[in-house]
Amino acid sequence: MVLVCGGAGYIGSHAVYQLINKGEDVVVVDNLETGHIEAVHPKAKFYKVDIRNEEELDKVFKENNITEVIHFAANSLVGESMTNPLKYYNNNVHGTEVLLKVMIDNDVKRIVFSSTAATYGEATKMPIVETDKTEPTNAYGETKLAMEKMMKWADIAHNMKYVSLRYFNVAGAHVSGTIGEDHSPETHLIPLILQVPLGKREFISIFGEDYDTEDGTCIRDYIHVVDLANAHIKAIEYLRKEDNSNIFNLGNGNGFSVKEMIVAARKVTGHEIPAKICERRAGDPARLIASAEKAREILKWEPEFTNVEDIIASAWNWHKNNPKGFNK
Ligand code: UFG
């Protein structure tokens, strides 16, 4: 049985759907601070538990035959992490400390971890490979790196095998149409662009046009949430077979600028989507592109959504049919 911590969140809920489609038994733990109960697959066993609550978390392990853990339970807003870093250290770092302790106490020694491109900070060469230096430029990335390091030392001391997956820009929604992205506040580019054709926003703000890129706007590597979810299943299979710890980037390896994303969204939605140039947003690196060669080679992971318009269309399908998200 696989325990998914944070299985009611955007990426976690998609991973649960893919695990269940694969025939795995799944138990979800989520404190529902940012997750949605409606996003939890009906076949998953659900516990409203905060991972920092050692006693309650231990009970979940005692009541279920857990063999692996996938850990998504964390705060993930870069901006908020800069104004309230201690919240990130408490929920992300301390939360992982409690989780690892309970895992060790219950002799569960395999974990797949939700990490981020933010661990690299301002990279000097593209595409980014896993061995590049990790110097986060925000507290969010710093806590994710601390969580990775905690697993490394837990491996050395307790044989805790971990796979850390460093995601680039995640987007899109499940093909079933039942789950998708629903953050409050929303800070991500694609859902914000799509709020314009939904009539929720008059224009999209472009945060800076003076970056050192072809059109002056920031370049990112967008990856579909279902491709990402599938990588977690590959990582579980890897841990079961290889019993080895490892770190992998997950992205498509192609960069798209903010302006290119707006043009693609216009094409997908048929809406003119007005845009306005605004000030830069603090802490945004100009360019983030992944090399996911290692994941392709070792995990045999192959993303299916390689076209950015298909990724936007998938997000559009969700937002159009669920303009209020899970809040029906
Ligand atoms: N952007 C705009 N206008 C908006 C929103 C975003 O121009 O209204 C720009 C941003 O400045 C950035 C790009 O669109 O250049 C993408 O922004 P997102 O907020 O969608 O994504 P980020 O690249 O900032 O963040 C992602 C993940 C984080 C992770 C980070 C790694 O969402 O969790 O990559 O740097 F930490």
Side-chain angles (χ1 to χ4, degrees), residues 76-78 116-119 138 140-141 167-170 187-193 201 204-208 211 217-220 222 258 281 283-286 288:
S76 61
L77 297 176
V78 171
T116 168
T119 52
N138 54 62
Y140 164 66
Y167 321 148
F168 283 63
N169 287 61
V170 189
T187 62
H188 295 116
L189 181 65
I190 294 178
L192 287 174
I193 294 176
R201 161 181 304 271
I204 179 73
S205 304
I206 297 176
F207 297 151
Y211 284 95
T217 66
C218 289
I219 291 175
R220 294 289 181 273
Y222 294 87
V258 174
R281 185 173 71 178
D284 274 343
L288 282 176

Short mmCIF file of all heavy atoms in Angstrom, two decimals, residues 76-78 116-119 138 140-141 167-170 187-193 201 204-208 211 217-220 222 258 281 283-286 288, ligand 1:
data_model
loop_
_atom_site.label_atom_id
_atom_site.label_comp_id
_atom_site.label_asym_id
_atom_site.label_seq_id
_atom_site.Cartn_x
_atom_site.Cartn_y
_atom_site.Cartn_z
N SER A 76 4.19 25.78 -0.81
CA SER A 76 4.98 25.88 -2.04
C SER A 76 4.89 27.24 -2.73
O SER A 76 5.11 27.32 -3.94
CB SER A 76 4.58 24.78 -3.01
OG SER A 76 3.23 24.93 -3.36
N LEU A 77 4.58 28.30 -1.99
CA LEU A 77 4.53 29.62 -2.63
C LEU A 77 5.84 30.37 -2.40
O LEU A 77 6.20 30.67 -1.25
CB LEU A 77 3.36 30.44 -2.08
CG LEU A 77 1.97 29.86 -2.34
CD1 LEU A 77 0.90 30.71 -1.65
CD2 LEU A 77 1.70 29.77 -3.83
N VAL A 78 6.55 30.64 -3.49
CA VAL A 78 7.85 31.29 -3.39
C VAL A 78 7.72 32.64 -2.67
O VAL A 78 8.50 32.94 -1.75
CB VAL A 78 8.47 31.47 -4.80
CG1 VAL A 78 9.71 32.34 -4.74
CG2 VAL A 78 8.79 30.11 -5.40
N THR A 116 11.99 20.41 -6.31
CA THR A 116 11.72 21.53 -7.21
C THR A 116 12.98 22.07 -7.87
O THR A 116 14.08 21.98 -7.31
CB THR A 116 11.04 22.67 -6.41
OG1 THR A 116 11.02 23.86 -7.20
CG2 THR A 116 11.79 23.00 -5.13
N ALA A 117 12.77 22.68 -9.02
CA ALA A 117 13.85 23.39 -9.71
C ALA A 117 14.36 24.55 -8.87
O ALA A 117 15.49 25.03 -9.08
CB ALA A 117 13.34 23.92 -11.05
N ALA A 118 13.55 24.99 -7.90
CA ALA A 118 13.97 26.10 -7.03
C ALA A 118 15.18 25.73 -6.17
O ALA A 118 15.82 26.61 -5.60
CB ALA A 118 12.81 26.54 -6.15
N THR A 119 15.52 24.44 -6.10
CA THR A 119 16.73 24.04 -5.35
C THR A 119 17.99 24.54 -6.05
O THR A 119 19.03 24.69 -5.41
CB THR A 119 16.83 22.50 -5.19
OG1 THR A 119 16.71 21.92 -6.49
CG2 THR A 119 15.74 21.96 -4.29
N ASN A 138 15.40 31.46 -2.84
CA ASN A 138 14.24 31.77 -1.99
C ASN A 138 14.13 30.71 -0.90
O ASN A 138 14.69 29.62 -1.00
CB ASN A 138 12.96 31.89 -2.83
CG ASN A 138 12.71 30.65 -3.68
OD1 ASN A 138 12.54 29.56 -3.17
ND2 ASN A 138 12.70 30.84 -5.00
N TYR A 140 11.59 28.95 0.05
CA TYR A 140 10.89 27.73 -0.38
C TYR A 140 11.90 26.71 -0.90
O TYR A 140 11.93 25.55 -0.45
CB TYR A 140 9.84 28.08 -1.45
CG TYR A 140 9.35 26.90 -2.22
CD1 TYR A 140 8.61 25.90 -1.60
CD2 TYR A 140 9.63 26.76 -3.59
CE1 TYR A 140 8.17 24.79 -2.32
CE2 TYR A 140 9.19 25.68 -4.31
CZ TYR A 140 8.46 24.69 -3.68
OH TYR A 140 8.04 23.60 -4.39
N GLY A 141 12.74 27.13 -1.86
CA GLY A 141 13.73 26.23 -2.44
C GLY A 141 14.73 25.73 -1.39
O GLY A 141 15.15 24.58 -1.43
N TYR A 167 10.87 19.06 -9.90
CA TYR A 167 9.96 19.49 -10.97
C TYR A 167 10.31 20.87 -11.46
O TYR A 167 10.64 21.76 -10.68
CB TYR A 167 8.51 19.60 -10.52
CG TYR A 167 7.98 18.57 -9.58
CD1 TYR A 167 7.00 18.94 -8.66
CD2 TYR A 167 8.39 17.24 -9.63
CE1 TYR A 167 6.45 18.02 -7.80
CE2 TYR A 167 7.84 16.32 -8.75
CZ TYR A 167 6.87 16.71 -7.84
OH TYR A 167 6.31 15.82 -6.99
N PHE A 168 10.06 21.08 -12.76
CA PHE A 168 10.13 22.42 -13.34
C PHE A 168 8.70 22.99 -13.30
O PHE A 168 8.06 22.89 -12.27
CB PHE A 168 10.86 22.38 -14.68
CG PHE A 168 12.36 22.26 -14.44
CD1 PHE A 168 12.89 21.13 -13.81
CD2 PHE A 168 13.22 23.30 -14.72
CE1 PHE A 168 14.25 21.04 -13.48
CE2 PHE A 168 14.58 23.22 -14.41
CZ PHE A 168 15.10 22.09 -13.79
N ASN A 169 8.15 23.59 -14.35
CA ASN A 169 6.84 24.25 -14.21
C ASN A 169 5.68 23.32 -14.54
O ASN A 169 5.47 22.98 -15.70
CB ASN A 169 6.81 25.50 -15.06
CG ASN A 169 7.67 26.60 -14.44
OD1 ASN A 169 8.88 26.42 -14.27
ND2 ASN A 169 7.05 27.69 -14.07
N VAL A 170 4.94 22.95 -13.54
CA VAL A 170 3.87 21.96 -13.67
C VAL A 170 2.57 22.63 -14.12
O VAL A 170 2.23 23.70 -13.61
CB VAL A 170 3.64 21.25 -12.32
CG1 VAL A 170 2.71 20.07 -12.50
CG2 VAL A 170 4.96 20.83 -11.71
N THR A 187 -1.06 31.86 -8.26
CA THR A 187 0.14 32.65 -8.60
C THR A 187 0.76 32.18 -9.91
O THR A 187 1.67 32.82 -10.42
CB THR A 187 1.21 32.54 -7.50
OG1 THR A 187 1.61 31.17 -7.40
CG2 THR A 187 0.70 33.01 -6.15
N HIS A 188 0.31 31.03 -10.43
CA HIS A 188 0.98 30.43 -11.59
C HIS A 188 0.48 30.99 -12.92
O HIS A 188 -0.69 31.33 -13.06
CB HIS A 188 0.81 28.91 -11.55
CG HIS A 188 1.51 28.29 -10.38
ND1 HIS A 188 0.83 27.64 -9.39
CD2 HIS A 188 2.80 28.30 -10.02
CE1 HIS A 188 1.71 27.24 -8.47
NE2 HIS A 188 2.91 27.64 -8.83
N LEU A 189 1.40 31.04 -13.87
CA LEU A 189 1.15 31.72 -15.13
C LEU A 189 -0.05 31.17 -15.90
O LEU A 189 -0.94 31.93 -16.29
CB LEU A 189 2.41 31.70 -16.01
CG LEU A 189 2.27 32.40 -17.35
CD1 LEU A 189 2.04 33.89 -17.18
CD2 LEU A 189 3.49 32.15 -18.24
N ILE A 190 -0.08 29.87 -16.16
CA ILE A 190 -1.12 29.32 -17.05
C ILE A 190 -2.53 29.54 -16.48
O ILE A 190 -3.39 30.12 -17.16
CB ILE A 190 -0.84 27.85 -17.43
CG1 ILE A 190 0.44 27.79 -18.28
CG2 ILE A 190 -2.03 27.23 -18.18
CD1 ILE A 190 0.88 26.40 -18.68
N PRO A 191 -2.82 29.16 -15.22
CA PRO A 191 -4.18 29.44 -14.72
C PRO A 191 -4.51 30.93 -14.70
O PRO A 191 -5.67 31.29 -14.95
CB PRO A 191 -4.19 28.84 -13.31
CG PRO A 191 -2.80 28.44 -13.00
CD PRO A 191 -2.04 28.34 -14.27
N LEU A 192 -3.50 31.78 -14.47
CA LEU A 192 -3.78 33.23 -14.48
C LEU A 192 -4.11 33.72 -15.89
O LEU A 192 -5.03 34.52 -16.07
CB LEU A 192 -2.59 34.01 -13.90
CG LEU A 192 -2.44 33.89 -12.37
CD1 LEU A 192 -1.15 34.58 -11.92
CD2 LEU A 192 -3.63 34.49 -11.63
N ILE A 193 -3.38 33.22 -16.89
CA ILE A 193 -3.70 33.60 -18.28
C ILE A 193 -5.15 33.18 -18.58
O ILE A 193 -5.92 33.94 -19.16
CB ILE A 193 -2.74 32.92 -19.30
CG1 ILE A 193 -1.31 33.42 -19.14
CG2 ILE A 193 -3.24 33.13 -20.73
CD1 ILE A 193 -0.30 32.71 -20.07
N ARG A 201 -10.59 38.13 -15.11
CA ARG A 201 -9.48 39.08 -15.08
C ARG A 201 -9.46 39.76 -16.44
O ARG A 201 -9.73 39.11 -17.45
CB ARG A 201 -8.24 38.23 -14.78
CG ARG A 201 -6.90 38.74 -15.07
CD ARG A 201 -5.84 37.69 -14.72
NE ARG A 201 -5.89 37.23 -13.34
CZ ARG A 201 -5.25 37.79 -12.32
NH1 ARG A 201 -4.44 38.79 -12.53
NH2 ARG A 201 -5.39 37.33 -11.11
N ILE A 204 -3.67 39.84 -18.67
CA ILE A 204 -2.61 39.12 -17.96
C ILE A 204 -1.42 40.08 -17.82
O ILE A 204 -1.07 40.79 -18.76
CB ILE A 204 -2.22 37.79 -18.67
CG1 ILE A 204 -1.09 37.07 -17.92
CG2 ILE A 204 -1.84 38.00 -20.13
CD1 ILE A 204 -1.52 36.43 -16.61
N SER A 205 -0.83 40.10 -16.63
CA SER A 205 0.35 40.93 -16.39
C SER A 205 1.59 40.15 -16.78
O SER A 205 1.74 38.99 -16.39
CB SER A 205 0.46 41.28 -14.91
OG SER A 205 -0.71 41.91 -14.47
N ILE A 206 2.45 40.78 -17.54
CA ILE A 206 3.75 40.17 -17.87
C ILE A 206 4.77 40.77 -16.91
O ILE A 206 5.01 41.98 -16.95
CB ILE A 206 4.13 40.45 -19.35
CG1 ILE A 206 3.10 39.80 -20.28
CG2 ILE A 206 5.55 39.96 -19.64
CD1 ILE A 206 3.33 40.08 -21.77
N PHE A 207 5.33 39.92 -16.05
CA PHE A 207 6.26 40.42 -15.03
C PHE A 207 7.67 40.63 -15.60
O PHE A 207 8.54 39.79 -15.44
CB PHE A 207 6.32 39.45 -13.84
CG PHE A 207 5.02 39.31 -13.10
CD1 PHE A 207 4.71 38.12 -12.45
CD2 PHE A 207 4.10 40.35 -13.03
CE1 PHE A 207 3.52 37.97 -11.75
CE2 PHE A 207 2.90 40.21 -12.33
CZ PHE A 207 2.61 39.02 -11.69
N GLY A 208 7.87 41.76 -16.26
CA GLY A 208 9.20 42.12 -16.75
C GLY A 208 9.40 41.76 -18.21
O GLY A 208 9.06 40.67 -18.65
N TYR A 211 14.36 41.06 -19.42
CA TYR A 211 15.28 39.95 -19.09
C TYR A 211 16.18 39.67 -20.29
O TYR A 211 15.84 40.01 -21.42
CB TYR A 211 14.49 38.69 -18.73
CG TYR A 211 13.87 38.75 -17.36
CD1 TYR A 211 12.55 39.17 -17.18
CD2 TYR A 211 14.60 38.39 -16.23
CE1 TYR A 211 11.98 39.23 -15.92
CE2 TYR A 211 14.05 38.44 -14.96
CZ TYR A 211 12.73 38.87 -14.82
OH TYR A 211 12.17 38.93 -13.57
N THR A 217 11.15 38.31 -21.98
CA THR A 217 10.35 37.75 -20.87
C THR A 217 10.95 36.41 -20.42
O THR A 217 11.71 35.78 -21.16
CB THR A 217 8.86 37.61 -21.27
OG1 THR A 217 8.73 36.62 -22.31
CG2 THR A 217 8.29 38.94 -21.76
N CYS A 218 10.59 36.01 -19.21
CA CYS A 218 11.20 34.82 -18.59
C CYS A 218 10.84 33.53 -19.34
O CYS A 218 9.70 33.37 -19.79
CB CYS A 218 10.74 34.67 -17.15
SG CYS A 218 11.43 35.89 -16.05
N ILE A 219 11.80 32.64 -19.37
CA ILE A 219 11.61 31.36 -20.05
C ILE A 219 11.52 30.23 -19.03
O ILE A 219 12.31 30.17 -18.09
CB ILE A 219 12.76 31.13 -21.05
CG1 ILE A 219 12.61 32.15 -22.20
CG2 ILE A 219 12.78 29.70 -21.56
CD1 ILE A 219 13.72 32.12 -23.21
N ARG A 220 10.50 29.37 -19.21
CA ARG A 220 10.29 28.24 -18.31
C ARG A 220 10.06 26.96 -19.10
O ARG A 220 9.67 27.00 -20.26
CB ARG A 220 9.07 28.49 -17.42
CG ARG A 220 9.22 29.65 -16.44
CD ARG A 220 10.18 29.29 -15.32
NE ARG A 220 10.35 30.36 -14.36
CZ ARG A 220 11.22 31.36 -14.47
NH1 ARG A 220 12.00 31.45 -15.53
NH2 ARG A 220 11.33 32.26 -13.52
N TYR A 222 7.69 23.84 -19.22
CA TYR A 222 6.37 23.42 -18.72
C TYR A 222 6.20 21.92 -18.91
O TYR A 222 6.49 21.37 -19.97
CB TYR A 222 5.26 24.21 -19.43
CG TYR A 222 5.34 25.67 -19.06
CD1 TYR A 222 6.15 26.56 -19.78
CD2 TYR A 222 4.66 26.17 -17.95
CE1 TYR A 222 6.26 27.89 -19.41
CE2 TYR A 222 4.76 27.50 -17.57
CZ TYR A 222 5.57 28.35 -18.30
OH TYR A 222 5.69 29.67 -17.94
N VAL A 258 7.18 33.90 -21.43
CA VAL A 258 5.84 34.31 -20.99
C VAL A 258 5.02 34.76 -22.20
O VAL A 258 3.86 34.37 -22.37
CB VAL A 258 5.94 35.45 -19.93
CG1 VAL A 258 4.56 35.98 -19.58
CG2 VAL A 258 6.65 34.95 -18.66
N ARG A 281 8.90 40.50 -11.12
CA ARG A 281 8.54 39.92 -9.83
C ARG A 281 9.85 39.52 -9.15
O ARG A 281 10.71 38.91 -9.80
CB ARG A 281 7.64 38.70 -10.06
CG ARG A 281 7.09 38.08 -8.81
CD ARG A 281 6.09 36.98 -9.14
NE ARG A 281 6.72 35.79 -9.71
CZ ARG A 281 6.05 34.69 -10.05
NH1 ARG A 281 4.75 34.62 -9.91
NH2 ARG A 281 6.68 33.66 -10.56
N GLY A 283 12.85 37.76 -7.45
CA GLY A 283 13.33 36.38 -7.32
C GLY A 283 13.11 35.50 -8.54
O GLY A 283 13.37 34.30 -8.49
N ASP A 284 12.63 36.03 -9.66
CA ASP A 284 12.41 35.22 -10.86
C ASP A 284 13.70 35.06 -11.66
O ASP A 284 14.22 36.04 -12.19
CB ASP A 284 11.37 35.88 -11.78
CG ASP A 284 9.94 35.52 -11.41
OD1 ASP A 284 9.74 34.53 -10.68
OD2 ASP A 284 9.03 36.23 -11.86
N PRO A 285 14.22 33.84 -11.80
CA PRO A 285 15.36 33.65 -12.71
C PRO A 285 14.89 33.85 -14.16
O PRO A 285 13.74 33.57 -14.48
CB PRO A 285 15.79 32.21 -12.47
CG PRO A 285 14.99 31.71 -11.32
CD PRO A 285 13.80 32.60 -11.16
N ALA A 286 15.78 34.34 -15.03
CA ALA A 286 15.41 34.60 -16.42
C ALA A 286 15.03 33.32 -17.15
O ALA A 286 14.08 33.29 -17.93
CB ALA A 286 16.58 35.27 -17.14
N LEU A 288 14.79 28.88 -16.93
CA LEU A 288 14.89 27.60 -16.22
C LEU A 288 14.47 26.50 -17.19
O LEU A 288 13.30 26.39 -17.55
CB LEU A 288 13.96 27.57 -15.00
CG LEU A 288 14.38 28.30 -13.73
CD1 LEU A 288 13.26 28.23 -12.70
CD2 LEU A 288 15.66 27.71 -13.14
N1 UFG B 1 4.36 35.36 -14.67
C1 UFG B 1 3.89 36.50 -15.29
N2 UFG B 1 2.64 36.94 -14.94
C2 UFG B 1 1.86 36.33 -14.02
C3 UFG B 1 2.36 35.14 -13.38
C4 UFG B 1 3.62 34.70 -13.73
O1 UFG B 1 4.55 37.11 -16.12
O2 UFG B 1 0.77 36.81 -13.75
C5 UFG B 1 5.68 34.86 -15.06
C6 UFG B 1 6.63 34.73 -13.90
O3 UFG B 1 7.29 35.95 -13.66
C7 UFG B 1 7.55 33.62 -14.40
C8 UFG B 1 6.66 32.74 -15.29
O4 UFG B 1 5.52 33.56 -15.58
O5 UFG B 1 8.56 34.17 -15.20
C9 UFG B 1 6.19 31.49 -14.58
O6 UFG B 1 5.69 31.85 -13.31
P1 UFG B 1 4.96 30.80 -12.34
O7 UFG B 1 4.61 31.53 -11.10
O8 UFG B 1 3.88 30.09 -13.07
O9 UFG B 1 6.09 29.72 -12.04
P2 UFG B 1 7.55 29.92 -11.42
O10 UFG B 1 8.50 29.62 -12.54
O11 UFG B 1 7.72 31.16 -10.70
O12 UFG B 1 7.51 28.82 -10.30
C10 UFG B 1 7.68 27.46 -10.55
C11 UFG B 1 6.95 26.65 -9.48
C12 UFG B 1 7.56 26.90 -8.11
C13 UFG B 1 9.02 26.66 -8.18
C14 UFG B 1 9.65 27.48 -9.25
C15 UFG B 1 11.10 27.18 -9.42
O13 UFG B 1 5.60 27.01 -9.46
O14 UFG B 1 6.98 26.02 -7.18
O15 UFG B 1 9.04 27.19 -10.50
O16 UFG B 1 11.79 28.37 -9.68
F1 UFG B 1 9.60 27.00 -7.00
#
